[in-house]
């Protein structure tokens, strides 16, 4: 059970760090001053969506670990 809790903590910390790193991206209101800036924002958004999908999979794995912990290991 202790190893599951440790795995949960490590994976949760990594997911939290990812979320915190992306916070500024999500808070950005500017759309850009020209086409190049808008295209750059669009590329960043597309990359974020791909990364979000990966992180969603990691969250599902984290939830599975939590279920194992709750079930008693």
């Amino acid at each position: 059970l202790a190893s599951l809790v440790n795995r949960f903590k490590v994976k949760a910390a990594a997911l939290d760090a990812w979320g915190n790193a992306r916070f500024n991206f999500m808070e950005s209101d500017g759309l850009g001053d020209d086409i190049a800036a808008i295209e750059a924002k669009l590329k960043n958004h597309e990359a974020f969506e791909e990364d979000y999908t990966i992180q969603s999979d990691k969250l599902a794995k984290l939830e599975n670990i939590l279920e194992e912990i709750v079930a008693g290991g």
Side-chain angles (χ1 to χ4, degrees):
L1 186 61
S3 66
L4 279 176
V5 171
N6 189 45
R7 272 182 42 206
F8 179 85
K9 287 180 180 179
V10 168
K11 290 183 181 293
L15 195 56
D16 188 50
W18 177 85
N20 288 335
R22 301 312 177 274
F23 183 76
N24 288 337
F25 170 77
M26 298 303 292
E27 289 292 309
S28 175
D29 289 335
L31 297 176
D33 295 329
D34 56 28
I35 294 294
I38 293 169
E39 288 174 342
K41 283 237 178 223
L42 184 58
K43 277 190 169 192
N44 285 339
H45 182 75
E46 290 168 351
F48 172 80
E49 285 181 333
E50 291 174 18
D51 205 17
Y52 179 80
T53 299
I54 293 167
Q55 298 307 319
S56 294
D57 292 341
K58 290 180 180 180
L59 179 59
K61 290 176 184 175
L62 188 63
E63 289 170 342
N64 290 338
I65 294 170
L66 180 60
E67 288 175 7
E68 285 184 58
I69 292 170
V70 170

